[in-house]
Amino acid sequence: MSYIKLIKIFKIKILSFFLFIFINNAFAVQQSDKIKPEIFNINTDKFLKLKNEGKPIIARKWMVVTANQQASKVAAKILSKGGTAVDAMISAQLVLGLVEPESSGLGGGAFLVYFNSSTNKITTLDGRETAPLNVDEKMFQDPNGKAIKFFDAVVGGKSVGTPGTPALLENAHKKWGKIKWSILFEDAIELADKGFVVSKKLSSSIQKNQKSLSKFKRTKNYFLPNNEPLKAGIILKNKNYAKTLKELAKNGSKPFYQGSIGDEIIDTVQNAKINPGVLDQKDLLNYSVIEREPSCIVYRKYKVCGMGPPSSGAITVNQILGMIENFNVSKLGPYNPETWRIIGDASRLAFADRSIYIADDDFISVPTRELTNKTYLQNRAKNLNSLKKIENIKPGNFEDKLSQNFTDDISIELPSTSHISIVDVYGNALSMTTTIENGFGSRLMTKGGFLLNNELTDFSFKTYKNNKRIANSIEPGKRPRSSMAPTIILKDKKPIYILGSPGGSNIIGYVVNAIISLIDWKQDAQRAASTAHAINKFGTYYIEKNTHLVKLQKSLKKMNFEVKLRNFSSGLNIIHIDKNLYGGSDHRREGIAIGE
Ligand code: GLU
């Protein structure tokens, strides 16, 4: 065959390829407009069975992993009809706000990491809650300037930051959505109107929080009707939430930030019986989603990318990986105390930097590049060349990079939250961690049928330490430092792993453990999601009860670590993209992967 002929054939092939993509996309849009509101009739038994057997879900075209079956199902329906990862995420988030209201929802905030397959670019969206303009820096202190007790601050209106989730959904949809906005609301509306099955997790969370949930009439009536916590398995309706969703479906996020839904939020916060807050109309009006550069590091030929400040998630994960990279944890393996000495102390070194340098970058100049610089991390890793635990952990010295004289403080972060991982038929990948902070947030429910966050308690309660301002102290318009670490990992410029987890500041350790399981120990997505945890942030080594790691206690103690056993409540949701898509969801939670 002549060269000319070959080139001709090649040209035709390329042209038909693009034609195919074009038709395919156009078809997807047309089809998507016709999606019917019935709940996707997918049988989840086989997916659950595989999860219970510890096996990954395998699919070819698309996959979604969320913390709840109902949410995964509606997202699966959207994906199966040609919706993008963002379309599916929106429908899942709206359902999560109904079926897992204790963890995330319209009254909260989220961070989204998105790989766009048409540009091969990763973008991050910051939909973090924001401190109202009228906050007082002493609001979480007693008259003597001492920090008040954590839960005294959580419950009520004071802890409520301006919610970011509705704006983030809308912003992401405008950028990367394909299916009509209102259609994405249909399943959630139907579930709220006709009722959904109360899950075991929701029921037991209500049980554990009975006292605080009973403090506000509306919250109590919904979660504890007749003074009894809702039981698992019953059908529950949330007509108020359905009404809110109908309003947003019709008018976008406007009624939330500039209308009746917003007025109800403000009324709930300002007139809270306990700790009335200062959130008002101008805070809602001023709210904006911020597009930020991802924070990435190359770890053993993989590029690990996540959410930069105001989250400490990606920087801290990347610092830990950057130090661990100097050791062969693949050869040492998961059962070796040496492996865990390295991981634990690398984490302590990273948390020392986190405490002092990471907060909202729009208020202090976080030295993000310097903190994740490979040479810096190689030097930091020299501290790990020892047979024992590091006795004296100090942060690296970047004082000159700070915009003021800042210092550290340990903010209290307890676990709740939810994570969503999605790959769509177009090859887009999405990783989003979404929260209302504490379980049931501030415990305040609006007339609109959703809970309000307590995200402001992620700020340090104190403002100064040794006459230096604390980096993560509260200021008007500032976003509290987070630990959420939605992550996308690339290999040869294409996504290979999508993951994230709830869990307060333990999120960082959960995500690191999963990444090492996937990359160094070559575990599949389900095994990595259920990997045993050992977490060391500030000195004490916490080891997960009833796992193989318990056996390491003695050796770690010999290395001078103080060791304690405990349970962990990670909720890792992972997708691995290889020849097929492989999904895994943490056995510790109710999450489920669905794919086709
Ligand atoms: N508010 C926490 C954060 O942003 C998340 C809460 C959690 O995961 O429990 O880091």
Side-chain angles (χ1 to χ4, degrees), residues 111 128-129 311-312 354 413-418 433-439 454-455 458 480-485 501-505 507 589:
F111 292 123
R128 184 71 161 165
E129 298 92 328
S311 188
S312 64
R354 173 187 181 272
E413 295 140 283
L414 297 170
S416 80
T417 309
S418 209
T433 313
T434 172
T435 189
I436 54 168
E437 215 302 287
N438 202 253
N454 67 296
E455 215 67 52
D458 268 1
R481 181 182 64 209
S482 168
S483 301
M484 296 194 286
S501 175
S505 58
I507 290 173
R589 299 241 184 174

PDB file of all heavy atoms in Angstrom, residues 111 128-129 311-312 354 413-418 433-439 454-455 458 480-485 501-505 507 589, ligand 1:
ATOM      1  N   PHE A 111     -15.758  20.866  48.827  1.00  0.00           N
ATOM      2  CA  PHE A 111     -14.631  21.107  47.920  1.00  0.00           C
ATOM      3  C   PHE A 111     -14.721  20.105  46.788  1.00  0.00           C
ATOM      4  O   PHE A 111     -14.902  18.900  47.032  1.00  0.00           O
ATOM      5  CB  PHE A 111     -13.296  20.893  48.631  1.00  0.00           C
ATOM      6  CG  PHE A 111     -13.002  21.905  49.698  1.00  0.00           C
ATOM      7  CD1 PHE A 111     -12.754  21.492  50.998  1.00  0.00           C
ATOM      8  CD2 PHE A 111     -12.941  23.260  49.407  1.00  0.00           C
ATOM      9  CE1 PHE A 111     -12.453  22.414  51.988  1.00  0.00           C
ATOM     10  CE2 PHE A 111     -12.647  24.192  50.399  1.00  0.00           C
ATOM     11  CZ  PHE A 111     -12.398  23.760  51.690  1.00  0.00           C
ATOM     12  N   ARG A 128     -16.446  26.403  50.322  1.00  0.00           N
ATOM     13  CA  ARG A 128     -16.345  26.365  51.784  1.00  0.00           C
ATOM     14  C   ARG A 128     -17.246  27.419  52.417  1.00  0.00           C
ATOM     15  O   ARG A 128     -17.387  28.538  51.872  1.00  0.00           O
ATOM     16  CB  ARG A 128     -14.891  26.654  52.164  1.00  0.00           C
ATOM     17  CG  ARG A 128     -14.569  26.554  53.652  1.00  0.00           C
ATOM     18  CD  ARG A 128     -14.598  25.145  54.138  1.00  0.00           C
ATOM     19  NE  ARG A 128     -13.894  24.954  55.401  1.00  0.00           N
ATOM     20  CZ  ARG A 128     -14.049  23.859  56.147  1.00  0.00           C
ATOM     21  NH1 ARG A 128     -14.881  22.900  55.786  1.00  0.00           N
ATOM     22  NH2 ARG A 128     -13.381  23.725  57.267  1.00  0.00           N
ATOM     23  N   GLU A 129     -17.815  27.091  53.565  1.00  0.00           N
ATOM     24  CA  GLU A 129     -18.597  28.078  54.314  1.00  0.00           C
ATOM     25  C   GLU A 129     -17.677  29.218  54.746  1.00  0.00           C
ATOM     26  O   GLU A 129     -16.482  29.028  54.941  1.00  0.00           O
ATOM     27  CB  GLU A 129     -19.220  27.461  55.566  1.00  0.00           C
ATOM     28  CG  GLU A 129     -20.194  26.337  55.302  1.00  0.00           C
ATOM     29  CD  GLU A 129     -19.544  24.963  55.319  1.00  0.00           C
ATOM     30  OE1 GLU A 129     -18.346  24.872  54.929  1.00  0.00           O
ATOM     31  OE2 GLU A 129     -20.218  24.009  55.705  1.00  0.00           O
ATOM     32  N   SER A 311      -8.346  24.429  52.508  1.00  0.00           N
ATOM     33  CA  SER A 311      -8.198  23.086  53.061  1.00  0.00           C
ATOM     34  C   SER A 311      -6.719  22.805  53.287  1.00  0.00           C
ATOM     35  O   SER A 311      -5.872  23.216  52.494  1.00  0.00           O
ATOM     36  CB  SER A 311      -8.786  22.014  52.143  1.00  0.00           C
ATOM     37  OG  SER A 311      -8.765  20.786  52.859  1.00  0.00           O
ATOM     38  N   SER A 312      -6.470  22.101  54.353  1.00  0.00           N
ATOM     39  CA  SER A 312      -5.095  21.640  54.601  1.00  0.00           C
ATOM     40  C   SER A 312      -4.934  20.245  54.021  1.00  0.00           C
ATOM     41  O   SER A 312      -3.852  19.664  54.090  1.00  0.00           O
ATOM     42  CB  SER A 312      -4.819  21.607  56.102  1.00  0.00           C
ATOM     43  OG  SER A 312      -5.660  20.664  56.733  1.00  0.00           O
ATOM     44  N   ARG A 354       1.304  21.990  59.219  1.00  0.00           N
ATOM     45  CA  ARG A 354      -0.111  22.315  59.015  1.00  0.00           C
ATOM     46  C   ARG A 354      -0.609  23.288  60.084  1.00  0.00           C
ATOM     47  O   ARG A 354      -1.286  24.276  59.796  1.00  0.00           O
ATOM     48  CB  ARG A 354      -0.933  21.019  59.061  1.00  0.00           C
ATOM     49  CG  ARG A 354      -2.436  21.190  59.033  1.00  0.00           C
ATOM     50  CD  ARG A 354      -3.090  19.831  59.252  1.00  0.00           C
ATOM     51  NE  ARG A 354      -4.540  19.868  59.214  1.00  0.00           N
ATOM     52  CZ  ARG A 354      -5.292  20.109  60.288  1.00  0.00           C
ATOM     53  NH1 ARG A 354      -4.751  20.365  61.456  1.00  0.00           N
ATOM     54  NH2 ARG A 354      -6.615  20.094  60.164  1.00  0.00           N
ATOM     55  N   GLU A 413     -11.502  19.059  65.506  1.00  0.00           N
ATOM     56  CA  GLU A 413     -12.314  18.634  64.367  1.00  0.00           C
ATOM     57  C   GLU A 413     -12.774  17.207  64.599  1.00  0.00           C
ATOM     58  O   GLU A 413     -11.964  16.315  64.732  1.00  0.00           O
ATOM     59  CB  GLU A 413     -11.509  18.703  63.076  1.00  0.00           C
ATOM     60  CG  GLU A 413     -11.111  20.104  62.710  1.00  0.00           C
ATOM     61  CD  GLU A 413      -9.711  20.184  62.152  1.00  0.00           C
ATOM     62  OE1 GLU A 413      -8.763  20.113  62.936  1.00  0.00           O
ATOM     63  OE2 GLU A 413      -9.581  20.299  60.944  1.00  0.00           O
ATOM     64  N   LEU A 414     -14.065  17.042  64.671  1.00  0.00           N
ATOM     65  CA  LEU A 414     -14.612  15.694  64.900  1.00  0.00           C
ATOM     66  C   LEU A 414     -15.291  15.200  63.628  1.00  0.00           C
ATOM     67  O   LEU A 414     -15.731  15.991  62.806  1.00  0.00           O
ATOM     68  CB  LEU A 414     -15.608  15.728  66.065  1.00  0.00           C
ATOM     69  CG  LEU A 414     -14.992  16.129  67.408  1.00  0.00           C
ATOM     70  CD1 LEU A 414     -16.073  16.381  68.442  1.00  0.00           C
ATOM     71  CD2 LEU A 414     -14.041  15.051  67.913  1.00  0.00           C
ATOM     72  N   PRO A 415     -15.383  13.877  63.480  1.00  0.00           N
ATOM     73  CA  PRO A 415     -15.831  13.355  62.188  1.00  0.00           C
ATOM     74  C   PRO A 415     -17.333  13.381  61.908  1.00  0.00           C
ATOM     75  O   PRO A 415     -18.126  13.067  62.775  1.00  0.00           O
ATOM     76  CB  PRO A 415     -15.356  11.903  62.223  1.00  0.00           C
ATOM     77  CG  PRO A 415     -15.226  11.564  63.654  1.00  0.00           C
ATOM     78  CD  PRO A 415     -14.982  12.827  64.397  1.00  0.00           C
ATOM     79  N   SER A 416     -17.681  13.795  60.689  1.00  0.00           N
ATOM     80  CA  SER A 416     -18.995  13.485  60.084  1.00  0.00           C
ATOM     81  C   SER A 416     -18.768  13.491  58.566  1.00  0.00           C
ATOM     82  O   SER A 416     -17.927  12.756  58.118  1.00  0.00           O
ATOM     83  CB  SER A 416     -20.071  14.464  60.538  1.00  0.00           C
ATOM     84  OG  SER A 416     -19.981  15.649  59.825  1.00  0.00           O
ATOM     85  N   THR A 417     -19.495  14.302  57.780  1.00  0.00           N
ATOM     86  CA  THR A 417     -19.098  14.523  56.374  1.00  0.00           C
ATOM     87  C   THR A 417     -19.347  13.334  55.438  1.00  0.00           C
ATOM     88  O   THR A 417     -19.660  12.233  55.874  1.00  0.00           O
ATOM     89  CB  THR A 417     -17.606  14.969  56.331  1.00  0.00           C
ATOM     90  OG1 THR A 417     -17.425  16.036  57.233  1.00  0.00           O
ATOM     91  CG2 THR A 417     -17.135  15.392  54.992  1.00  0.00           C
ATOM     92  N   SER A 418     -19.186  13.571  54.111  1.00  0.00           N
ATOM     93  CA  SER A 418     -19.494  12.564  53.094  1.00  0.00           C
ATOM     94  C   SER A 418     -18.583  12.754  51.887  1.00  0.00           C
ATOM     95  O   SER A 418     -18.188  13.886  51.602  1.00  0.00           O
ATOM     96  CB  SER A 418     -20.954  12.763  52.655  1.00  0.00           C
ATOM     97  OG  SER A 418     -21.523  11.552  52.243  1.00  0.00           O
ATOM     98  N   THR A 433     -15.629  16.228  48.511  1.00  0.00           N
ATOM     99  CA  THR A 433     -15.944  15.972  49.908  1.00  0.00           C
ATOM    100  C   THR A 433     -16.859  17.094  50.366  1.00  0.00           C
ATOM    101  O   THR A 433     -16.628  18.267  50.075  1.00  0.00           O
ATOM    102  CB  THR A 433     -14.681  15.881  50.779  1.00  0.00           C
ATOM    103  OG1 THR A 433     -13.733  15.032  50.130  1.00  0.00           O
ATOM    104  CG2 THR A 433     -15.001  15.286  52.137  1.00  0.00           C
ATOM    105  N   THR A 434     -17.947  16.715  51.035  1.00  0.00           N
ATOM    106  CA  THR A 434     -19.030  17.641  51.325  1.00  0.00           C
ATOM    107  C   THR A 434     -19.453  17.486  52.783  1.00  0.00           C
ATOM    108  O   THR A 434     -19.481  16.376  53.307  1.00  0.00           O
ATOM    109  CB  THR A 434     -20.182  17.391  50.312  1.00  0.00           C
ATOM    110  OG1 THR A 434     -21.315  18.160  50.694  1.00  0.00           O
ATOM    111  CG2 THR A 434     -20.596  15.929  50.217  1.00  0.00           C
ATOM    112  N   THR A 435     -19.805  18.595  53.430  1.00  0.00           N
ATOM    113  CA  THR A 435     -19.945  18.527  54.893  1.00  0.00           C
ATOM    114  C   THR A 435     -20.917  19.548  55.452  1.00  0.00           C
ATOM    115  O   THR A 435     -21.200  20.571  54.796  1.00  0.00           O
ATOM    116  CB  THR A 435     -18.552  18.759  55.539  1.00  0.00           C
ATOM    117  OG1 THR A 435     -18.624  18.502  56.935  1.00  0.00           O
ATOM    118  CG2 THR A 435     -18.045  20.165  55.317  1.00  0.00           C
ATOM    119  N   ILE A 436     -21.439  19.265  56.663  1.00  0.00           N
ATOM    120  CA  ILE A 436     -22.025  20.346  57.478  1.00  0.00           C
ATOM    121  C   ILE A 436     -21.251  20.405  58.798  1.00  0.00           C
ATOM    122  O   ILE A 436     -21.725  20.862  59.804  1.00  0.00           O
ATOM    123  CB  ILE A 436     -23.549  20.198  57.704  1.00  0.00           C
ATOM    124  CG1 ILE A 436     -23.912  18.827  58.285  1.00  0.00           C
ATOM    125  CG2 ILE A 436     -24.323  20.465  56.427  1.00  0.00           C
ATOM    126  CD1 ILE A 436     -25.359  18.757  58.804  1.00  0.00           C
ATOM    127  N   GLU A 437     -20.017  19.850  58.766  1.00  0.00           N
ATOM    128  CA  GLU A 437     -19.067  19.768  59.877  1.00  0.00           C
ATOM    129  C   GLU A 437     -19.476  18.665  60.858  1.00  0.00           C
ATOM    130  O   GLU A 437     -19.390  17.515  60.513  1.00  0.00           O
ATOM    131  CB  GLU A 437     -18.902  21.118  60.583  1.00  0.00           C
ATOM    132  CG  GLU A 437     -17.488  21.381  61.106  1.00  0.00           C
ATOM    133  CD  GLU A 437     -16.939  20.353  62.085  1.00  0.00           C
ATOM    134  OE1 GLU A 437     -17.380  20.318  63.232  1.00  0.00           O
ATOM    135  OE2 GLU A 437     -16.029  19.600  61.685  1.00  0.00           O
ATOM    136  N   ASN A 438     -19.931  19.011  62.033  1.00  0.00           N
ATOM    137  CA  ASN A 438     -20.248  17.991  63.034  1.00  0.00           C
ATOM    138  C   ASN A 438     -21.463  17.173  62.585  1.00  0.00           C
ATOM    139  O   ASN A 438     -22.207  17.619  61.716  1.00  0.00           O
ATOM    140  CB  ASN A 438     -20.564  18.726  64.341  1.00  0.00           C
ATOM    141  CG  ASN A 438     -20.382  17.847  65.542  1.00  0.00           C
ATOM    142  OD1 ASN A 438     -21.362  17.429  66.159  1.00  0.00           O
ATOM    143  ND2 ASN A 438     -19.157  17.531  65.866  1.00  0.00           N
ATOM    144  N   GLY A 439     -21.675  15.992  63.154  1.00  0.00           N
ATOM    145  CA  GLY A 439     -22.894  15.242  62.859  1.00  0.00           C
ATOM    146  C   GLY A 439     -24.109  16.118  63.181  1.00  0.00           C
ATOM    147  O   GLY A 439     -24.228  16.605  64.308  1.00  0.00           O
ATOM    148  N   ASN A 454     -22.091  23.865  61.245  1.00  0.00           N
ATOM    149  CA  ASN A 454     -21.390  24.514  62.377  1.00  0.00           C
ATOM    150  C   ASN A 454     -19.926  24.712  61.985  1.00  0.00           C
ATOM    151  O   ASN A 454     -19.029  24.565  62.805  1.00  0.00           O
ATOM    152  CB  ASN A 454     -21.475  23.647  63.639  1.00  0.00           C
ATOM    153  CG  ASN A 454     -20.703  22.355  63.509  1.00  0.00           C
ATOM    154  OD1 ASN A 454     -21.042  21.528  62.673  1.00  0.00           O
ATOM    155  ND2 ASN A 454     -19.671  22.171  64.312  1.00  0.00           N
ATOM    156  N   GLU A 455     -19.703  25.066  60.705  1.00  0.00           N
ATOM    157  CA  GLU A 455     -18.334  25.075  60.189  1.00  0.00           C
ATOM    158  C   GLU A 455     -17.416  26.075  60.888  1.00  0.00           C
ATOM    159  O   GLU A 455     -16.202  25.900  60.907  1.00  0.00           O
ATOM    160  CB  GLU A 455     -18.351  25.344  58.673  1.00  0.00           C
ATOM    161  CG  GLU A 455     -17.285  24.618  57.900  1.00  0.00           C
ATOM    162  CD  GLU A 455     -17.479  23.106  57.898  1.00  0.00           C
ATOM    163  OE1 GLU A 455     -18.590  22.642  57.548  1.00  0.00           O
ATOM    164  OE2 GLU A 455     -16.538  22.407  58.241  1.00  0.00           O
ATOM    165  N   ASP A 458     -14.532  25.113  63.059  1.00  0.00           N
ATOM    166  CA  ASP A 458     -13.257  24.641  62.497  1.00  0.00           C
ATOM    167  C   ASP A 458     -12.163  25.715  62.625  1.00  0.00           C
ATOM    168  O   ASP A 458     -10.998  25.451  62.374  1.00  0.00           O
ATOM    169  CB  ASP A 458     -13.404  24.252  61.015  1.00  0.00           C
ATOM    170  CG  ASP A 458     -13.725  22.769  60.846  1.00  0.00           C
ATOM    171  OD1 ASP A 458     -13.840  22.069  61.866  1.00  0.00           O
ATOM    172  OD2 ASP A 458     -13.853  22.308  59.695  1.00  0.00           O
ATOM    173  N   PRO A 480     -12.853  28.822  57.275  1.00  0.00           N
ATOM    174  CA  PRO A 480     -12.118  28.021  58.259  1.00  0.00           C
ATOM    175  C   PRO A 480     -11.259  26.949  57.607  1.00  0.00           C
ATOM    176  O   PRO A 480     -11.636  26.395  56.575  1.00  0.00           O
ATOM    177  CB  PRO A 480     -13.227  27.382  59.104  1.00  0.00           C
ATOM    178  CG  PRO A 480     -14.478  27.510  58.314  1.00  0.00           C
ATOM    179  CD  PRO A 480     -14.317  28.660  57.378  1.00  0.00           C
ATOM    180  N   ARG A 481     -10.111  26.680  58.222  1.00  0.00           N
ATOM    181  CA  ARG A 481      -9.241  25.633  57.683  1.00  0.00           C
ATOM    182  C   ARG A 481      -9.952  24.281  57.750  1.00  0.00           C
ATOM    183  O   ARG A 481     -10.599  23.949  58.724  1.00  0.00           O
ATOM    184  CB  ARG A 481      -7.953  25.549  58.506  1.00  0.00           C
ATOM    185  CG  ARG A 481      -7.005  24.480  57.949  1.00  0.00           C
ATOM    186  CD  ARG A 481      -5.744  24.358  58.775  1.00  0.00           C
ATOM    187  NE  ARG A 481      -6.035  23.909  60.115  1.00  0.00           N
ATOM    188  CZ  ARG A 481      -5.292  24.214  61.178  1.00  0.00           C
ATOM    189  NH1 ARG A 481      -4.245  24.978  61.055  1.00  0.00           N
ATOM    190  NH2 ARG A 481      -5.622  23.764  62.364  1.00  0.00           N
ATOM    191  N   SER A 482      -9.806  23.533  56.674  1.00  0.00           N
ATOM    192  CA  SER A 482     -10.438  22.216  56.587  1.00  0.00           C
ATOM    193  C   SER A 482      -9.373  21.132  56.481  1.00  0.00           C
ATOM    194  O   SER A 482      -8.202  21.409  56.224  1.00  0.00           O
ATOM    195  CB  SER A 482     -11.318  22.187  55.335  1.00  0.00           C
ATOM    196  OG  SER A 482     -11.740  20.876  55.057  1.00  0.00           O
ATOM    197  N   SER A 483      -9.816  19.897  56.679  1.00  0.00           N
ATOM    198  CA  SER A 483      -8.933  18.744  56.451  1.00  0.00           C
ATOM    199  C   SER A 483      -9.426  17.921  55.272  1.00  0.00           C
ATOM    200  O   SER A 483      -8.850  16.871  54.959  1.00  0.00           O
ATOM    201  CB  SER A 483      -8.927  17.833  57.666  1.00  0.00           C
ATOM    202  OG  SER A 483      -8.501  18.542  58.768  1.00  0.00           O
ATOM    203  N   MET A 484     -10.503  18.368  54.662  1.00  0.00           N
ATOM    204  CA  MET A 484     -11.101  17.546  53.605  1.00  0.00           C
ATOM    205  C   MET A 484     -10.109  17.415  52.449  1.00  0.00           C
ATOM    206  O   MET A 484      -9.464  18.376  52.051  1.00  0.00           O
ATOM    207  CB  MET A 484     -12.422  18.149  53.145  1.00  0.00           C
ATOM    208  CG  MET A 484     -13.447  18.142  54.278  1.00  0.00           C
ATOM    209  SD  MET A 484     -15.130  18.442  53.744  1.00  0.00           S
ATOM    210  CE  MET A 484     -15.096  20.170  53.394  1.00  0.00           C
ATOM    211  N   ALA A 485     -10.002  16.193  51.941  1.00  0.00           N
ATOM    212  CA  ALA A 485      -8.951  15.904  50.957  1.00  0.00           C
ATOM    213  C   ALA A 485      -9.495  15.125  49.754  1.00  0.00           C
ATOM    214  O   ALA A 485      -9.064  14.003  49.483  1.00  0.00           O
ATOM    215  CB  ALA A 485      -7.823  15.135  51.634  1.00  0.00           C
ATOM    216  N   SER A 501     -12.460  10.908  51.732  1.00  0.00           N
ATOM    217  CA  SER A 501     -13.123  10.315  52.898  1.00  0.00           C
ATOM    218  C   SER A 501     -13.631  11.401  53.822  1.00  0.00           C
ATOM    219  O   SER A 501     -13.077  12.500  53.851  1.00  0.00           O
ATOM    220  CB  SER A 501     -12.118   9.456  53.672  1.00  0.00           C
ATOM    221  OG  SER A 501     -12.691   8.967  54.862  1.00  0.00           O
ATOM    222  N   PRO A 502     -14.656  11.092  54.624  1.00  0.00           N
ATOM    223  CA  PRO A 502     -14.972  11.951  55.765  1.00  0.00           C
ATOM    224  C   PRO A 502     -14.031  11.619  56.922  1.00  0.00           C
ATOM    225  O   PRO A 502     -13.220  10.693  56.802  1.00  0.00           O
ATOM    226  CB  PRO A 502     -16.405  11.557  56.111  1.00  0.00           C
ATOM    227  CG  PRO A 502     -16.535  10.149  55.664  1.00  0.00           C
ATOM    228  CD  PRO A 502     -15.614   9.995  54.482  1.00  0.00           C
ATOM    229  N   GLY A 503     -14.141  12.353  58.030  1.00  0.00           N
ATOM    230  CA  GLY A 503     -13.381  11.957  59.216  1.00  0.00           C
ATOM    231  C   GLY A 503     -12.610  13.045  59.936  1.00  0.00           C
ATOM    232  O   GLY A 503     -11.623  12.745  60.600  1.00  0.00           O
ATOM    233  N   GLY A 504     -13.028  14.331  59.815  1.00  0.00           N
ATOM    234  CA  GLY A 504     -12.311  15.400  60.508  1.00  0.00           C
ATOM    235  C   GLY A 504     -10.847  15.399  60.081  1.00  0.00           C
ATOM    236  O   GLY A 504     -10.524  15.053  58.945  1.00  0.00           O
ATOM    237  N   SER A 505      -9.955  15.724  61.009  1.00  0.00           N
ATOM    238  CA  SER A 505      -8.553  15.813  60.604  1.00  0.00           C
ATOM    239  C   SER A 505      -7.938  14.429  60.388  1.00  0.00           C
ATOM    240  O   SER A 505      -6.819  14.322  59.877  1.00  0.00           O
ATOM    241  CB  SER A 505      -7.733  16.629  61.602  1.00  0.00           C
ATOM    242  OG  SER A 505      -7.832  16.059  62.876  1.00  0.00           O
ATOM    243  N   ILE A 507      -9.088  12.571  58.194  1.00  0.00           N
ATOM    244  CA  ILE A 507      -9.246  12.394  56.741  1.00  0.00           C
ATOM    245  C   ILE A 507      -7.871  12.264  56.088  1.00  0.00           C
ATOM    246  O   ILE A 507      -7.650  11.424  55.219  1.00  0.00           O
ATOM    247  CB  ILE A 507      -9.992  13.604  56.111  1.00  0.00           C
ATOM    248  CG1 ILE A 507     -11.462  13.612  56.527  1.00  0.00           C
ATOM    249  CG2 ILE A 507      -9.855  13.593  54.591  1.00  0.00           C
ATOM    250  CD1 ILE A 507     -12.226  14.864  56.077  1.00  0.00           C
ATOM    251  N   ARG A 589     -18.803   2.020  56.591  1.00  0.00           N
ATOM    252  CA  ARG A 589     -19.977   2.890  56.348  1.00  0.00           C
ATOM    253  C   ARG A 589     -20.943   2.226  55.364  1.00  0.00           C
ATOM    254  O   ARG A 589     -20.696   1.157  54.865  1.00  0.00           O
ATOM    255  CB  ARG A 589     -19.519   4.216  55.759  1.00  0.00           C
ATOM    256  CG  ARG A 589     -18.586   4.974  56.676  1.00  0.00           C
ATOM    257  CD  ARG A 589     -19.163   6.289  57.048  1.00  0.00           C
ATOM    258  NE  ARG A 589     -18.220   7.036  57.853  1.00  0.00           N
ATOM    259  CZ  ARG A 589     -18.423   8.281  58.223  1.00  0.00           C
ATOM    260  NH1 ARG A 589     -19.510   8.910  57.850  1.00  0.00           N
ATOM    261  NH2 ARG A 589     -17.538   8.904  58.968  1.00  0.00           N
TER     262      ARG A 589
HETATM  263  N1  GLU B   1     -15.303  20.198  59.096  1.00  0.00           N
HETATM  264  C1  GLU B   1     -14.301  19.249  58.766  1.00  0.00           C
HETATM  265  C2  GLU B   1     -13.320  19.792  57.780  1.00  0.00           C
HETATM  266  O1  GLU B   1     -13.651  20.585  56.973  1.00  0.00           O
HETATM  267  C3  GLU B   1     -14.881  18.022  58.173  1.00  0.00           C
HETATM  268  C4  GLU B   1     -15.635  17.333  59.192  1.00  0.00           C
HETATM  269  C5  GLU B   1     -15.479  15.883  59.135  1.00  0.00           C
HETATM  270  O2  GLU B   1     -15.025  15.282  58.223  1.00  0.00           O
HETATM  271  O3  GLU B   1     -15.878  15.334  60.083  1.00  0.00           O
HETATM  272  O4  GLU B   1     -12.203  19.392  57.803  1.00  0.00           O
END
